């Protein structure tokens, strides 16, 4: 019997999945088993759209459709948790399987804390993530650094420190470090990320540590929950998944790869945060950057921490309507409500029409609060720092208006009623 904490090499025995899948097709096989045996009602994944620069979220209920989702897509920069909340009713009435990277998993936890997603109805298969690449940057990078027409590229991957492309006529790889020194490579929030193996998911999967005869033919799986263990055992019992113990040297290599990625995250945090300055200099920098804001609300719409129906940033008492440049109070309100819980997903920066480094600003504040209070968002169900602040007037207003906002950020933890 599989149990939490187990490490496995896994691959599918399904011939159809083997034809299209990467790394042995274990993840696709697990989802196929889950759908066919009603473990989940649907699987929510990202698949390639018109090309490899176009990531499309897809809800799958027919196991036959899973094959088209196999493989990696590093130019897919979507965040799955907010989509589950907005379009799938927060998984309150369906059991949903989701393939997640680190920031996805963190966002699921943060939304679950706020009663916006029902984690009991979610099964997460996490995939190790070295980072994603903006589709716009990817096209420019391939054209200028690789001297290849982006339209002719049919596959990309990040392996052994290189961003590798396959295209009509050959393949080419360039060091990620070299690309990033030249201003290309991964999104800035991904460079700073230290959630490389999403152990909050039920299973954490990837190719790090798969060596020997199984290299490229199997997935390394770390079992992170009882739900994950049951999924493995069920798939094995049905004959769609095979496993074996990992090579001990592979375990060591996996640890070294993760360690190197974490050090790289520290390097980029130091680089990015120092560029913001400190104290008053940082405040001036933030005020200067945010002065371009046109108040389109896209950053709020995509943020996994923003969920309020009655948003304070739309209160004319704080943020006068129709005023440009936008009153700085607009940004202060967002920072005050979100900073302790930012998961560094980069969505606010991704969609910003004014190209404000929103993710950098928010992440820098989250890290400072983490240093002060020791709270790391998105790793477990521990409440965020602001959950322990009393806001009597706000609580009274919410009770009187019947607002959709919940008590999380406004209750006193010593109040036994909560």
């Amino acid at each position: 019997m599989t149990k939490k904490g187990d490490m496995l090499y896994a691959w599918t025995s399904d011939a159809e999945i083997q034809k299209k899948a990467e790394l042995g097709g274990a993840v696709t096989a697990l989802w196929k088993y889950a759908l066919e045996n009603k473990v989940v009602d649907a699987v929510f994944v990202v698949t390639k759209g018109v090309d490899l620069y176009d990531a499309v979220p897809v809800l799958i209920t027919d196991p036959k459709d899973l094959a088209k989702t196999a493989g990696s897509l590093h130019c897919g920069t979507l965040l799955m948790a907010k989509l589950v909340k907005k379009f799938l009713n927060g998984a309150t009435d369906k059991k949903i399987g989701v393939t997640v990277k680190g920031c996805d998993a963190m966002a699921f936890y943060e939304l679950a804390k706020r009663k916006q997603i029902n984690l009991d109805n979610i099964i997460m298969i996490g995939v190790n993530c070295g980072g994603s690449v903006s589709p716009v940057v990817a096209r420019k990078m391939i054209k200028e650094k690789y001297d290849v027409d982006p339209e002719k590229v049919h596959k990309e991957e990040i392996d052994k420190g290189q961003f590798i492309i396959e295209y009509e006529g050959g393949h080419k790889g360039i060091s990620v470090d070299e690309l990033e020194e030249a201003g290309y490579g991964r999104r800035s929030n991904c460079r700073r990320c230290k959630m490389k193996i999403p152990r909050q998911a039920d299973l954490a999967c990837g190719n790090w540590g798969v060596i020997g005869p199984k290299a490229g033919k199997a997935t390394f799986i770390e079992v992170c929950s009882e739900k994950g263990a049951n999924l493995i055992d069920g798939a094995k019992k049905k004959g769609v998944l095979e496993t074996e113990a990992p090579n001990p040297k592979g375990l060591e290599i996996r640890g070294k790869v993760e360690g190197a990625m974490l050090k790289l995250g520290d390097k980029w945090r130091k680089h990015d945060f120092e560029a913001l300055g400190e104290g008053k200099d940082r405040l001036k920098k933030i005020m200067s950057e945010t002065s371009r804001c046109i108040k389109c609300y896209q950053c709020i719409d995509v943020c996994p921490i923003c969920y309020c129906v009655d948003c304070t940033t739309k209160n004319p008492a704080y943020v006068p309507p129709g005023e440009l440049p936008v009153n700085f109070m607009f940004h202060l309100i967002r920072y005050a409500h979100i900073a302790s819980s930012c998961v560094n997903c980069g969505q606010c920066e991704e969609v910003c029409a004014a190209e404000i480094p929103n993710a950098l600003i928010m992440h820098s504040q989250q890290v400072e609060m983490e240093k002060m209070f020791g709270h790391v968002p998105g790793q477990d169900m521990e409440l965020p720092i602001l959950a322990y602040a009393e806001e009597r007037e706000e609580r009274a207003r919410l009770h009187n208006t019947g607002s959709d906002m919940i008590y999380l950020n406004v209750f006193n933890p010593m109040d036994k009623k909560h």
Side-chain angles (χ1 to χ4, degrees):
M1 294 290 289
T2 307
K3 61 184 184 300
K4 180 180 177 180
D6 283 353
M7 309 281 191
L8 310 164
Y9 284 171
W11 61 96
T12 185
S13 52
D14 186 299
E16 283 302 310
I17 295 176
Q18 286 175 350
K19 291 178 184 178
K20 298 183 179 181
E22 296 180 4
L23 307 176
V27 173
T28 306
L30 285 165
W31 285 142
K32 184 178 180 182
Y33 157 76
L35 275 177
E36 289 180 341
N37 293 275
K38 310 301 181 185
V39 177
V40 296
D41 298 309
V43 173
F44 194 44
V45 291
V46 173
T47 188
K48 185 170 71 173
V50 295
D51 54 33
L52 59 79
Y53 313 102
D54 179 36
V56 179
V58 179
L59 187 71
I60 292 177
T61 56
D62 186 343
K64 294 177 182 177
D65 293 333
L66 283 167
K68 66 182 181 184
T69 71
S72 58
L73 194 65
H74 290 98
C75 297
T77 59
L78 300 172
L79 190 77
M80 305 300 277
K82 190 66 176 275
L83 299 177
V84 170
K85 179 220 164 348
K86 289 179 70 173
F87 303 112
L88 299 175
N89 200 28
T92 57
D93 51 5
K94 290 186 188 305
K95 292 185 177 180
I96 301 172
V98 192
T99 302
V100 298
K101 53 191 184 299
C103 56
D104 287 312
M106 295 170 75
F108 270 102
Y109 272 80
E110 288 304 314
L111 282 169
K113 292 176 190 180
R114 291 157 172 79
K115 316 287 188 199
Q116 304 301 299
I117 281 179
N118 180 10
L119 276 187
D120 290 338
N121 280 347
I122 295 284
I123 294 179
M124 287 188 275
I125 295 183
V127 290
N128 299 350
C129 182
S132 56
V133 182
S134 162
V136 175
V137 172
R139 284 178 172 276
K140 185 178 180 183
M141 175 177 75
I142 290 169
K143 182 178 180 180
E144 296 180 0
K145 289 292 289 183
Y146 290 76
D147 195 27
V148 172
D149 181 352
E151 299 297 333
K152 294 184 177 180
V153 177
H154 56 259
K155 184 180 178 182
E156 50 75 23
E157 63 178 327
I158 296 177
D159 188 36
K160 296 178 182 176
Q162 289 192 323
F163 187 85
I164 302 166
I165 61 171
E166 292 183 10
Y167 54 95
E168 298 172 18
H171 68 278
K172 188 181 294 187
I174 298 178
S175 161
V176 172
D177 286 341
E178 179 183 337
L179 292 170
E180 291 178 355
E181 290 297 330
Y184 300 105
R186 299 169 299 162
R187 297 157 72 214
S188 59
N189 62 294
C190 295
R191 298 175 193 176
R192 296 190 303 268
C193 177
K194 295 177 68 175
M195 184 55 65
K196 300 304 180 182
I197 299 179
R199 294 183 175 90
Q200 320 93 305
D202 299 294
L203 299 171
C205 305
N207 65 341
W208 302 346
V210 182
I211 62 173
K214 290 297 181 186
K217 300 176 182 177
T219 301
F220 191 112
I221 298 180
E222 180 176 347
V223 182
C224 304
S225 74
E226 185 177 336
K227 277 198 288 188
N230 291 339
L231 193 64
I232 293 282
D233 285 339
K236 288 174 66 175
K237 187 175 181 180
K238 288 292 182 178
V240 298
L241 190 76
E242 297 182 36
T243 67
E244 66 179 38
N247 186 313
K249 184 67 176 177
L251 286 173
E252 182 182 339
I253 291 171
R254 181 175 184 258
K256 287 181 177 179
V257 171
E258 183 182 18
M261 296 298 293
L262 296 179
K263 287 182 180 178
L264 199 56
D266 284 329
K267 168 195 162 185
W268 279 107
R269 288 185 181 198
K270 185 174 186 295
H271 174 276
D272 292 353
F273 295 162
E274 285 184 354
L276 270 180
E278 296 181 354
K280 290 183 178 179
D281 290 336
R282 177 173 289 193
L283 179 60
K284 289 179 181 178
K285 176 78 170 175
I286 293 173
M287 291 182 74
S288 174
E289 292 285 358
T290 57
S291 68
R292 300 193 298 274
C293 176
I294 60 173
K295 203 165 63 172
C296 67
Y297 286 96
Q298 285 298 299
C299 58
I300 289 175
D301 189 49
V302 297
C303 177
I305 313 303
C306 291
Y307 62 91
C308 306
V309 173
D310 185 14
C311 180
T312 309
T313 62
K314 295 180 181 179
N315 188 329
Y318 303 127
V319 184
E323 183 181 71
L324 288 178
V326 175
N327 192 305
F328 189 55
M329 184 60 71
F330 174 87
H331 302 285
L332 286 179
I333 291 170
R334 286 205 70 229
Y335 300 154
H337 278 83
I338 297 166
S340 68
S341 297
C342 174
V343 298
N344 186 38
C345 64
Q347 296 298 301
C348 55
E349 196 165 309
E350 191 87 2
V351 300
C352 182
E355 298 187 345
I356 299 168
N358 287 307
L360 169 61
I361 294 168
M362 196 73 73
H363 189 211
S364 67
Q365 294 177 85
Q366 181 273 311
V367 170
E368 289 301 319
M369 294 191 76
E370 185 178 323
K371 290 176 184 176
M372 288 189 285
F373 300 105
H375 173 72
V376 182
Q379 289 196 352
D380 51 40
M381 289 299 288
E382 181 182 347
L383 296 175
I385 302 304
L386 292 178
Y388 299 96
E390 174 111 28
E391 299 181 23
R392 296 181 185 277
E393 291 184 7
E394 182 71 351
R395 180 162 55 172
R397 185 183 72 80
L398 293 176
H399 285 178
N400 291 335
T401 62
S403 167
D404 223 19
M405 287 178 65
I406 59 172
Y407 67 79
L408 185 62
N409 286 339
V410 296
F411 76 85
N412 183 338
M414 302 305 292
D415 187 340
K416 300 302 181 184
K417 290 185 295 182
H418 298 292

